């Protein structure tokens, strides 16, 4: 069962009166003490009674520490920073367990304290409760107090999230230390009642299981920490997945999902509720249907948009948030990673006065970044540029940007029709996903407008066949399409732990090379370090396949050629495939052969 507020429980057990609780809360606001400390100082409850009660409340043993001596071996087990954050000391240890005495037995401290110590698997933590004065005496005697962190904030644009230390910690501290700062020692009575949205708090009480009540303060801090930490870790997505007995928290970093310490399973519903509240548009009561929302926050100097999606599962709502750092900026075309004449072909295509340029690839392959790099290249005050997106991810000056809203009837097709009445030079369509959008975009390209758009296909040649499938006649496809670019993202080898390796001949044979073909090349692999979360990779780079529609390729399209004929024509023209471009990156020592084989195809 979840815990009620400490003050309410003490009143219910007749250990203090309502008047004494009110007096302690007033004192607490002035002194900054924890509620229990304020009650003890006022003489309303003895220290021993208070901590005996806390031990019973949490199902823990109560001990006294008077006369306890800490050995040097025990002191080494717990870093001073951890000891002070949790107000805990190690008091005994044997071959199978270690006893930790704390005067701060709140929900999150009890969960994260053992994880923070990183004990060997065979050593099990045993947490007990002791009076604060006795714990603090041992802390002062054996653990030098660490300097307090400078406070920062993470703020919602709507003013929904206001906590201390999230932004500063997210840009200056390691993940474990940040977690200690934000999650350890969260006092249930610390939150000022005036800062609570009473309507939201009432909603949480109504939906709680079996009469459970949760203090909003720790939930708010936990959710804000997850956002701030995801930004600090360079995550592109946050996954919060509920299971029967636990919650799994994962960040997608450089394309791979990495597991991080997770919160207690009992707060799964409250996590979902809090993120819905931050979005301002999602229904916190509705848990039977998928929902989508958006959160706009500032984390330190960074402005971040979060696209949040919830989906009901067997054990609760699954939460996925796409993290879009608006402060990252848009790279120049020259910095995208286009190889050789690929850059020349692409710039030539987007510099034409009319026609269609497609960028294709799977989800999260960088298509939007490439499209906006192209827009940035052609963006001048003399051109009228309009975009329709779902959602608006980047912002550029002198450009009119519109976001799709299905509920309002604002679809890609309807916005494109309106665009044609606004005298555009260049139009960007976030995604060509249906026949209506494809038809209008194609007609716009044939009537004197440059159209940049994306589509989901496996390679450049498949895009031509996809347009035909969407109902565009071959003659119109061949007449309007200027170029098709397909792309993937490969993980870069971590600079901090890269080491030179030899590539066996059998591995070279998998990509059609012999040892003599790579003489003079040096190959590397990351062994794994803290900088790259033990993966050996940090950061990603783009690999591209640029297919300008030449006369020979256009003839194949007009003749209604199949996919194999299109690929043959493009290869005969000498265009590099994605596999070719990836091998170039590998031979430059930027990525590994495993990435080349895993992310590109022959």
């Amino acid at each position: 069962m979840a815990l009620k507020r400490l003050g309410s429980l003490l009143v219910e057990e007749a250990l203090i009166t309502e008047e004494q609780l009110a007096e302690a809360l007033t004192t607490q606001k002035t002194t900054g003490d924890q509620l229990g400390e304020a009650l003890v100082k006022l003489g309303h409850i003895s220290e021993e009674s208070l901590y005996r009660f806390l031990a019973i409340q949490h199902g823990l043993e109560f001990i006294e520490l008077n006369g306890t001596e800490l050995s040097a071996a025990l002191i080494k087990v717990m870093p001073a920073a951890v000891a002070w954050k949790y107000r805990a000391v190690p008091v005994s240890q044997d071959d199978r367990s270690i006893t930790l005495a704390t005067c701060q037995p709140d929900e999150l401290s009890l969960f994260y304290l053992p994880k923070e110590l990183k004990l060997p698997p065979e050593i099990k933590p045993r947490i007990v409760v002791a009076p604060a004065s006795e714990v603090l005496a041992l802390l002062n005697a054996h653990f030098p107090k660490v300097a307090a962190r400078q406070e920062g904030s993470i703020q919602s644009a709507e003013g929904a999230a206001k906590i201390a230390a999230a932004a500063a910690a997210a840009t200056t501290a390691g993940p474990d230390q940040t977690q200690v700062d934000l999650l350890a020692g969260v006092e249930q009575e610390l939150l000022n009642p005036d800062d609570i949205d009473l309507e939201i708090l009432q909603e949480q009480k109504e939906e709680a299981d079996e009469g459970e009540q949760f203090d909003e303060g720790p939930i708010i801090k936990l959710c804000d920490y997850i956002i701030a930490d995801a930004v600090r870790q360079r995550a592109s997505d946050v996954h919060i997945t509920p299971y029967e007995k636990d919650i799994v928290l994962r960040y997608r970093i450089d394309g791979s999902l990495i597991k991080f310490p997770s919160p207690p399973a009992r707060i799964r519903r409250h996590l979902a509720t809090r993120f819905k509240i931050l979005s301002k548009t999602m229904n916190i009561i509705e848990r039977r249907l998928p929902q989508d929302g958006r959160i706009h926050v500032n984390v330190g100097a960074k402005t971040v948009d979060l696209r949040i999606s919830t989906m009901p599962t067997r054990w609760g709502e699954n939460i996925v948030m796409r993290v879009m750092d608006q402060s990252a900026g848009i790279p120049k075309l020259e910095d995208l990673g286009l190889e050789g004449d690929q850059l020349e072909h692409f710039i030539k295509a987007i510099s034409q006065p009319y026609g269609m340029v497609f960028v294709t690839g799977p989800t999260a392959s960088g298509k939007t970044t490439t499209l906006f790099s192209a827009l940035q290249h052609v963006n001048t005050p003399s051109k009228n540029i309009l975009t329709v997106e779902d959602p608006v991810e980047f912002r550029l000056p002198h450009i009119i940007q519109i976001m799709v809203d299905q509920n309002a009837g604002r679809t890609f097709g309807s916005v494109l029709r309106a665009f044609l009445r606004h005298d555009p030079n260049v139009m960007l369509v976030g995604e060509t996903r249906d026949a209506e959008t494809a038809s209008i975009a194609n007609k716009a390209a044939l009537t004197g407008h440059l159209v940049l758009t994306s589509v989901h296909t496996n390679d450049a040649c498949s895009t031509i066949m996809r347009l035909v499938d969407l109902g565009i006649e071959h003659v119109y496809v061949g007449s309007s399409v200027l170029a098709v670019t397909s792309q993937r993202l490969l993980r870069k080898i971590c600079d901090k732990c890269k080491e030179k390796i030899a590539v066996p001949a059998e591995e070279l044979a998998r990509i059609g090379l012999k040892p003599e073909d790579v003489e003079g090349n040096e190959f590397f692999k990351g062994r794994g370090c803290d900088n790259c979360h033990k993966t050996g990779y940090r950061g990603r780079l783009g690999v591209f396949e640029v297919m300008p529609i030449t006369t020979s390729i256009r003839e194949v399209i007009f003749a209604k050629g199949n996919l194999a004929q299109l690929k043959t024509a493009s290869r005969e023209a000498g265009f590099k495939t994605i596999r070719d471009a990836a091998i170039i990156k590998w031979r430059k020592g930027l990525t590994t052969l495993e990435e080349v084989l895993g992310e590109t195809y022959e």
Side-chain angles (χ1 to χ4, degrees):
M1 188 177 76
L3 303 179
K4 297 181 180 180
R5 288 172 174 267
L6 174 61
S8 300
L9 287 169
L10 290 173
V11 172
E12 288 179 11
E13 296 296 325
L15 293 173
I16 61 173
T17 65
E18 291 279 5
E19 292 75 16
Q20 290 172 334
L21 173 60
E23 183 183 1
L25 289 172
T26 302
T27 302
Q28 180 191 17
K29 292 178 184 179
T30 304
T31 63
D33 291 335
Q34 298 173 13
L35 178 63
E37 293 173 346
L39 287 167
V40 171
K41 287 181 179 180
L42 290 170
H44 297 326
I45 189 172
S46 69
E47 186 180 44
E48 181 180 347
S49 297
L50 172 66
Y51 287 96
R52 283 188 182 277
F53 176 81
L54 287 174
I56 294 171
Q57 184 194 14
H58 290 84
L60 301 174
E61 181 184 344
F62 173 83
I63 67 170
E64 295 183 353
L65 299 178
N66 288 328
T68 301
E69 295 293 335
L70 303 187
S71 66
L74 277 174
I75 294 172
K76 289 181 180 179
V77 170
M78 182 173 287
V82 177
W84 278 101
K85 300 302 179 184
Y86 290 102
R87 291 194 178 187
V89 291
V91 294
S92 64
Q93 184 178 7
D94 55 33
D95 293 338
R96 296 184 179 181
S97 67
I98 181 170
T99 300
L100 308 170
T102 181
C103 60
Q104 187 172 275
D106 61 78
E107 286 271 279
L108 294 175
S109 291
L110 295 175
F111 178 76
Y112 281 105
L113 173 56
K115 295 179 180 296
E116 178 63 17
L117 291 183
K118 299 179 180 177
L119 299 168
E122 65 273 12
I123 302 297
K124 303 301 180 184
R126 172 176 172 262
I127 300 179
V128 298
V129 178
S133 61
E134 298 173 11
V135 172
L136 291 173
L138 290 175
L139 286 173
N140 286 312
H142 300 287
F143 298 91
K145 194 164 186 178
V146 294
R149 247 180 234 285
Q150 183 179 2
E151 292 187 344
S153 63
I154 173 173
Q155 301 162 336
S156 166
E158 297 82 11
K162 295 181 180 179
I163 66 166
T171 55
T172 62
D176 292 336
Q177 188 59 54
T178 303
Q179 199 133 357
V180 173
D181 288 348
L182 291 177
L183 300 183
V186 178
E187 294 299 323
Q188 292 196 0
E189 298 295 334
L190 187 62
L191 197 62
N192 184 342
D194 295 336
D195 293 335
I196 302 177
D197 186 327
L198 297 180
E199 183 178 350
I200 293 172
L201 188 60
Q202 180 63 34
E203 193 66 64
Q204 286 189 319
K205 287 181 181 178
E206 288 176 358
E207 68 169 7
D209 287 331
E210 299 178 1
E212 292 182 353
Q213 298 180 33
F214 269 83
D215 186 354
E216 243 194 349
I219 305 299
I220 291 173
K221 290 191 175 186
L222 177 58
C223 292
D224 286 345
Y225 164 73
I226 289 172
I227 293 173
D229 190 49
V231 173
R232 184 183 64 79
Q233 300 283 2
R234 303 177 299 105
S236 61
D237 300 87
V238 177
H239 292 245
I240 304 173
T241 307
Y243 293 101
E244 181 180 7
K245 296 182 179 179
D246 62 350
I247 297 174
V248 175
L249 172 65
R250 295 176 294 173
Y251 300 158
R252 188 175 293 280
I253 301 174
D254 299 329
S256 298
L257 282 174
I258 298 175
K259 187 176 179 181
F260 281 75
S262 301
R266 64 195 307 170
I267 65 171
R268 65 186 67 166
R269 180 175 294 178
H270 304 276
L271 284 178
T273 298
R274 180 60 189 168
F275 283 120
K276 289 178 183 179
I277 290 169
L278 290 178
S279 77
K280 290 292 186 180
T281 58
M282 301 171 74
N283 187 344
I284 64 174
I285 299 176
E286 180 58 71
R287 298 189 298 272
R288 299 165 299 175
L289 298 173
Q291 294 190 64
D292 296 309
R294 191 178 183 119
I295 304 171
H296 186 69
V297 298
N298 294 323
V299 181
K302 294 184 177 182
T303 300
V304 179
D305 278 336
L306 300 162
R307 287 184 353 214
I308 178 172
S309 177
T310 62
M311 181 176 62
T313 69
R314 172 65 182 84
W315 303 110
E317 289 181 278
N318 189 64
I319 304 168
V320 176
M321 292 184 287
R322 171 65 55 88
V323 182
M324 295 176 287
D325 185 357
Q326 298 295 330
S327 307
I330 303 170
K332 296 181 179 179
L333 283 176
E334 295 80 2
D335 298 330
L336 290 178
L338 293 155
E339 294 286 350
D341 56 5
Q342 289 182 336
L343 180 61
E344 178 185 346
H345 291 318
F346 190 69
I347 291 178
K348 181 178 179 180
I350 64 174
S351 300
Q352 300 304 313
Y354 55 86
M356 298 186 76
V357 177
F358 283 90
V359 177
T360 181
T363 300
S365 61
K367 299 187 296 297
T368 302
T369 299
T370 300
L371 286 171
F372 271 85
S373 294
L375 270 192
Q376 185 173 251
H377 186 84
V378 302
N379 184 19
T380 64
S382 63
K383 292 182 178 179
N384 184 25
I385 302 177
L386 301 93
T387 75
V388 53
E389 307 165 61
D390 183 21
V392 174
E393 295 188 23
F394 296 101
R395 295 170 178 83
L396 282 174
H398 314 302
I399 290 180
I400 300 171
Q401 296 179 265
I402 298 176
M403 187 168 72
V404 168
D405 186 347
Q406 298 288 346
N407 294 330
R410 196 161 64 235
T411 63
F412 281 109
S414 64
V415 173
L416 275 175
R417 289 193 192 91
F419 276 0
L420 296 176
R421 296 189 289 272
H422 284 255
D423 187 29
N425 297 105
V426 181
M427 296 189 293
L428 184 146
V429 183
E431 183 182 346
T432 299
R433 61 177 65 164
D434 53 48
E436 179 189 25
T437 304
S439 176
I440 299 171
N442 181 255
K443 290 175 182 176
L446 292 172
T447 54
H449 308 90
L450 179 65
V451 180
L452 308 179
T453 185
S454 71
V455 67
H456 285 288
T457 55
N458 290 327
D459 54 35
C461 292
S462 299
T463 301
I464 302 300
M465 309 310 295
R466 174 63 175 156
L467 292 175
V468 174
D469 290 341
L470 289 173
I472 311 299
E473 293 290 339
H474 288 81
V475 63
Y476 296 135
V477 174
S479 300
S480 63
V481 180
L482 300 171
V484 182
T485 298
S486 182
Q487 67 182 77
R488 298 292 188 278
L489 293 176
L490 302 185
R491 291 183 293 175
K492 293 172 60 178
I493 300 172
C494 175
D495 291 331
K496 300 288 186 181
C497 63
K498 68 186 301 183
E499 55 187 14
K500 192 181 298 185
I501 61 169
V503 181
E506 57 268 22
E507 290 295 313
L508 293 174
R510 297 180 64 185
I511 55 174
L513 295 177
K514 300 177 181 178
E516 54 266 28
D517 296 331
V518 295
E519 288 183 2
N521 293 129
E522 291 184 338
F523 301 106
F524 301 89
K525 187 173 184 178
R527 65 178 180 274
C529 64
D530 291 338
N531 185 57
C532 59
H533 300 289
K534 309 297 183 183
T535 63
Y537 300 96
R538 183 179 174 90
R540 290 195 287 179
L541 50 86
V543 288
F544 298 84
E545 175 181 272
V546 180
M547 184 182 76
I549 306 302
T550 62
T551 300
S552 59
I553 293 176
R554 187 168 284 111
E555 288 175 353
V556 174
I557 298 173
F558 287 157
K560 300 183 179 180
N562 58 30
L563 183 59
Q565 292 170 322
L566 277 173
K567 289 187 175 182
T568 299
S570 67
R571 291 293 285 178
E572 289 175 351
F575 305 136
K576 294 182 180 67
T577 65
I578 289 182
R579 170 63 64 84
D580 296 333
I583 290 175
I584 291 174
K585 304 289 189 188
W586 168 63
R587 296 182 71 163
K588 288 181 178 179
L590 299 175
T591 189
T592 63
L593 187 57
E594 289 82 1
E595 278 293 288
V596 172
L597 295 171
E599 297 297 329
T600 66
Y601 51 89
E602 182 58 49

